[in-house]
Amino acid sequence: MKHHIKLRKPLMKQLKKSNVKGTIVQSQPLWVRIFHWGFTASLTIVILSGLQLHKPASFLALNFSKVLTAHIVFGWFSLGFLAIRIADSFIRRDDSLIPKIQDLRHFPQLMSYCFFLRSSPPPARKYNSGQLLIYFSWFVLFLLSSFLGLVSYWQGEHLIWVWRLIGGFQVLRWTKFITTIYFLATIPIHIYLSLTEDISRLQAMVTGYERKSPPNNR
Amino acid sequence: MLSRRDFLKLVVKGAILGNFYQLISPPLAEAVAAGEVKKLPVVMIETGTCTGDSISLDNIWTPTFSDILTNILDWRYDWTMNQVQGEAAYRILQDTYENMPNEYILIVQGSMIQRDAGHYNHVAYENGKLITGIELVRRIGLKAKYVVAIGSCATYGGPVSGYPNPTQSTGVQNILPERRVINVSGCPAHPDWIMGTLLHLALYGEPELEKFGRPKLFYGETVHNRCPRRKDYDQGIFATEIGQKECLFRVGCKGPVTYADCPIRRWNDRFNWPIGCNTPCIGCTEPGYPDLMSPFTAHLPDIPFPGGTKVNTDAIGLGVLGLTSIAITGHITTSLFKGRIQKNLLKTSVKAQHRPALKKVKTFHQYWPKKS
Ligand code: HEM
Ligand code: SF4
Ligand code: SF4
């Protein structure tokens, strides 16, 4: 969010000393960064332990009840971090993660950029339409998987209607597995794009500040 | 007479000791003799079935099936057990239907074959007309006191309704929505499950049913929760081949998703059961069996594709991940080749050649490089 910021004096000094080109703007508030890295760490554990629950690797010989406990505990952690992000977006009235028609309109251009038919990406709000769609789908699928996880945790004691709706325990497990595959397929894309498109935005995910090249310098 | 609570206790005790009927039949026979309970008339219709449940039912050890038939239930019509045939046998069914409405129990064995109005499954010949399975089950079922579906096919469609289900088969409940069908699933259903349910009906009426219409007293808990190898599972000790003595989860055991009391009741007069002889549970009591449970050696079902091929879930997962890696690698290569990565990195990270001093512009927090 590019709002008023007060740079601390030492930082100002440093900036003056170094050769910064462009504008320093704050793009990732603290809570977003806490959410991002907390969520990343927890979700990594959730996904890895989920895969272990799916097909135990015998050579690891992990204690299975502990794997399940880790999966559930870190599932709750991820949910907690997500709750932080949602609360934060309400407080800041931030809609940067909600895809809008205006974003989707740029999607074909973005694709042609990805396939090297254009030399520069189309203009975007905070995130480009591709990233936005991935983030948004993660939220939806993460909530879906967490919910299904809760349903399977209760083993038919509660939320029976979900079983009936989707056709039983096996379908439930299957759905969770497929969403995990989706995560595993899209996370590398996300990481790849973050590392190669605009490295200063990765920096912003750590420090909060992003350097925007001055418009006349493009 | 035996109280319902004692009966429920016997169900578990009998399962563990293996003498369910020995425990249960003397008080029952007494009750019948004393006129406290009426012998319940039972008719069985077989539709799309292999008759496996009749064979399973036949495997009751002590007392034998015939003891039960003579002392406790009034077994009236059943193709496998009939002592008459043809017209004479069918007349018994019609008599029961006409003279004992809301008194008899209808047992259905086999799936409901719906394709072409059910004409792939004829079960009777009446006034020169062939009667389909669906038609007879509906007719007899609407007037029955209880409708009991036994076996996977009658309960949820079972193997007969397996992919791609050419006969459009389904379970009894789907063609008899007006009635509550008591589902005694299993492929085949355990004799104790069938007879226990019938006895409960005779003595105390409808048993408590669980989410998929099965009596809770037999299907209340997963196989996994009572499995003797559960300690292996909890510690992560897994068999890597069928035939090994550890938990069979890795080789496709469906115990965690299957509700049945096999671990305590076991099979063939409690002699053994699948996991006891080192093969995985195949989830025969669950809706969606066998499609959702096969391959029996894999954890998740294969995914059917149009055209009749099925693809393994793990293979799909690996395929998707493989495609992603190929796509990313390809993109990296092209980007490097075209210089896009270099350009982006330079644009977003490289410092200027000469040191510009910062100048405050407009607002106090924006800094622009000074032209030097
Ligand atoms: C360690 C590898 C990762 C790196 C380097 C990374 C980097 C980044 C960067 C740079 C951004 C900002 C993107 C932009 O401004 O254009 C971002 C945003 C985001 N990342 Fe990651 N990420 C990683 C892993 C993950 C994982 C595993 C997830 C979880 C599925 C995830 C979920 C998200 C979400 C939801 C956002 C949007 C954040 C927001 O605005 O609230 N990231 N990531
Ligand atoms: S063998 Fe099957 S039912 Fe038994 S503990 Fe292992 S997974 Fe569960
Ligand atoms: S162990 Fe599993 S497959 Fe075997 S009879 Fe019991 S529920 Fe069916």
Side-chain angles (χ1 to χ4, degrees):
Chain A
M1 288 284 98
K2 283 124 209 170
H3 44 223
H4 298 284
I5 49 160
K6 220 177 209 161
L7 291 182
R8 275 170 291 119
K9 266 210 177 122
L11 184 59
M12 288 262 281
K13 255 192 205 156
Q14 270 180 14
L15 285 175
K16 271 186 186 148
K17 249 193 273 164
S18 59
N19 317 291
V20 174
K21 187 174 72 171
T23 333
I24 304 291
V25 292
Q26 186 184 33
S27 78
Q28 304 292 12
L30 181 63
W31 288 114
V32 170
R33 285 176 279 149
I34 290 180
F35 152 73
H36 179 261
W37 297 111
F39 190 69
T40 303
S42 328
L43 198 72
T44 307
I45 296 177
V46 169
I47 289 178
L48 290 180
S49 59
L51 287 178
Q52 176 72 7
L53 288 173
H54 166 67
K55 195 163 198 167
S58 287
F59 66 91
L60 286 176
L62 293 177
N63 184 313
F64 226 51
S65 51
K66 286 189 186 147
V67 175
L68 182 62
T69 313
H71 188 70
I72 294 168
V73 167
F74 283 94
W76 283 113
F77 272 121
S78 323
L79 215 54
F81 284 117
L82 183 56
I84 291 181
R85 180 67 178 86
I86 292 174
D88 177 68
S89 65
F90 275 114
I91 293 169
R92 289 190 296 119
R93 292 174 202 280
D94 164 38
D95 58 359
S96 60
L97 284 178
I98 301 182
K100 297 183 172 170
I101 306 209
Q102 145 212 356
D103 297 313
L104 299 182
R105 231 183 274 131
H106 289 306
F107 190 70
Q109 287 156 314
L110 184 74
M111 281 297 110
S112 55
Y113 170 70
C114 280
F115 288 104
F116 303 98
L117 303 173
R118 264 174 76 108
S119 59
S120 65
R125 291 190 299 147
K126 186 171 175 188
Y127 302 120
N128 70 44
S129 48
Q131 292 269 52
L132 200 55
L133 285 179
I134 291 187
Y135 301 156
F136 192 71
S137 69
W138 284 348
F139 287 138
V140 175
L141 288 179
F142 174 74
L143 289 176
L144 176 78
S145 293
S146 309
F147 180 65
L148 291 183
L150 203 61
V151 175
S152 67
Y153 177 74
W154 275 325
Q155 292 240 326
E157 252 175 80
H158 308 286
L159 300 174
I160 309 290
W161 57 270
V162 184
W163 291 49
R164 295 222 183 81
L165 186 72
I166 64 175
F169 212 157
Q170 276 294 84
V171 187
L172 195 151
R173 268 167 138 190
W174 185 87
T175 317
K176 277 191 79 173
F177 180 71
I178 295 295
T179 50
T180 308
I181 292 296
Y182 177 79
F183 272 107
L184 287 178
T186 44
I187 290 173
I189 298 178
H190 166 69
I191 296 174
Y192 166 61
L193 292 178
S194 323
L195 290 178
T196 58
E197 279 301 307
D198 189 343
I199 197 84
S200 91
R201 306 198 68 174
L202 174 58
Q203 170 195 306
M205 213 17 122
V206 181
T207 64
Y209 296 104
E210 180 187 341
R211 195 170 46 75
K212 276 240 186 303
S213 40
N216 57 0
N217 212 7
R218 283 225 157 165
Chain B
M1 198 181 104
L2 208 59
S3 74
R4 197 182 109 90
R5 194 199 230 127
D6 289 337
F7 178 85
L8 295 185
K9 268 193 213 143
L10 283 187
V11 166
V12 176
K13 193 170 154 199
I16 293 166
L17 298 174
N19 57 352
F20 179 50
Y21 299 106
Q22 250 164 352
L23 293 175
I24 215 142
S25 24
L28 274 182
E30 272 169 33
V32 172
E36 285 172 29
V37 257
K38 264 174 69 183
K39 280 176 137 193
L40 259 190
V42 174
V43 296
M44 159 135 54
I45 298 176
E46 291 183 40
T47 49
T49 176
C50 66
T51 315
D53 297 285
S54 292
I55 307 300
S56 175
L57 190 54
D58 225 3
N59 274 331
I60 300 180
W61 237 252
T62 41
T64 58
F65 193 30
S66 69
D67 287 342
I68 291 178
L69 298 195
T70 40
N71 292 328
I72 297 164
L73 295 168
D74 177 12
W75 210 265
R76 296 178 72 88
Y77 178 82
D78 171 355
W79 293 351
T80 324
M81 300 293 162
N82 275 345
Q83 299 197 346
V84 289
Q85 53 173 310
E87 271 300 311
Y90 192 59
R91 211 173 305 124
I92 301 176
L93 179 66
Q94 281 178 315
D95 275 356
T96 314
Y97 171 70
E98 276 155 21
N99 302 328
M100 306 175 161
N102 298 318
E103 227 179 287
Y104 61 88
I105 300 182
L106 168 67
I107 300 185
V108 184
Q109 179 182 185
S111 69
M112 301 291 105
I113 290 174
Q114 291 176 300
R115 177 90 176 258
D116 296 340
H119 279 293
Y120 293 102
N121 175 232
H122 292 133
V123 293
Y125 190 64
E126 206 179 283
N127 306 329
K129 219 183 110 208
L130 285 164
I131 308 291
T132 66
I134 324 182
E135 190 184 340
L136 195 67
V137 167
R138 269 194 66 81
R139 189 198 309 163
I140 307 285
L142 285 175
K143 271 205 192 176
K145 185 163 183 196
Y146 303 109
V147 182
V148 182
I150 62 173
S152 282
C153 297
T155 48
Y156 312 121
V160 177
S161 68
Y163 177 81
N165 195 0
T167 53
Q168 293 162 5
S169 303
T170 183
V172 175
Q173 184 73 78
N174 288 342
I175 66 133
L176 208 58
E178 304 90 336
R179 300 297 311 261
R180 167 123 83 154
V181 176
I182 299 167
N183 286 330
V184 183
S185 60
C187 193
H190 195 290
D192 286 12
W193 302 339
I194 305 174
M195 210 37 95
T197 306
L198 288 179
L199 296 181
H200 195 287
L201 289 176
L203 293 168
Y204 317 104
E206 193 175 283
E208 196 186 341
L209 302 181
E210 50 86 86
K211 53 193 173 300
F212 294 121
R214 300 172 291 193
K216 248 195 186 142
L217 66 166
F218 299 113
Y219 302 91
E221 191 74 69
T222 56
V223 170
H224 186 60
N225 280 356
R226 286 168 165 166
C227 179
R229 299 190 185 187
R230 179 60 189 264
K231 58 185 186 311
D232 288 351
Y233 174 92
D234 285 342
Q235 291 166 28
I237 305 172
F238 297 108
T240 48
E241 305 278 355
I242 289 177
Q244 295 171 346
K245 291 200 305 294
E246 297 85 10
C247 164
L248 294 147
F249 183 73
R250 251 188 79 103
V251 287
C253 184
K254 305 297 186 304
V257 293
T258 305
Y259 286 74
D261 63 2
C262 303
I264 59 165
R265 192 169 301 279
R266 308 207 260 175
W267 285 76
N268 298 340
D269 196 25
R270 72 182 290 278
F271 206 71
N272 209 341
W273 68 303
I275 289 166
C277 51
N278 307 324
T279 90
C281 165
I282 58 175
C284 73
T285 57
E286 288 302 300
Y289 167 88
D291 284 352
L292 288 182
M293 301 296 172
S294 56
F296 294 148
T297 51
H299 194 103
L300 287 181
D302 288 353
I303 301 166
F305 277 89
T309 42
K310 280 190 159 197
V311 183
N312 183 262
T313 307
D314 284 352
I316 290 186
L318 288 176
V320 171
L321 296 189
L323 281 182
T324 317
S325 334
I326 294 174
I328 293 184
T329 318
H331 205 269
I332 291 181
T333 321
T334 324
S335 297
L336 284 174
F337 180 72
K338 294 222 166 191
R340 181 183 284 181
I341 292 187
Q342 295 89 322
K343 191 185 100 197
N344 281 345
L345 285 182
L346 286 174
K347 206 170 85 186
T348 57
S349 69
V350 153
K351 293 170 182 171
Q353 291 281 312
H354 32 84
R355 310 183 135 220
L358 288 169
K359 181 186 90 178
K360 209 171 164 189
V361 275
K362 270 200 295 195
T363 48
F364 65 91
H365 59 81
Q366 281 204 325
Y367 300 91
W368 296 88
K370 234 184 193 167
K371 291 229 174 69
S372 55

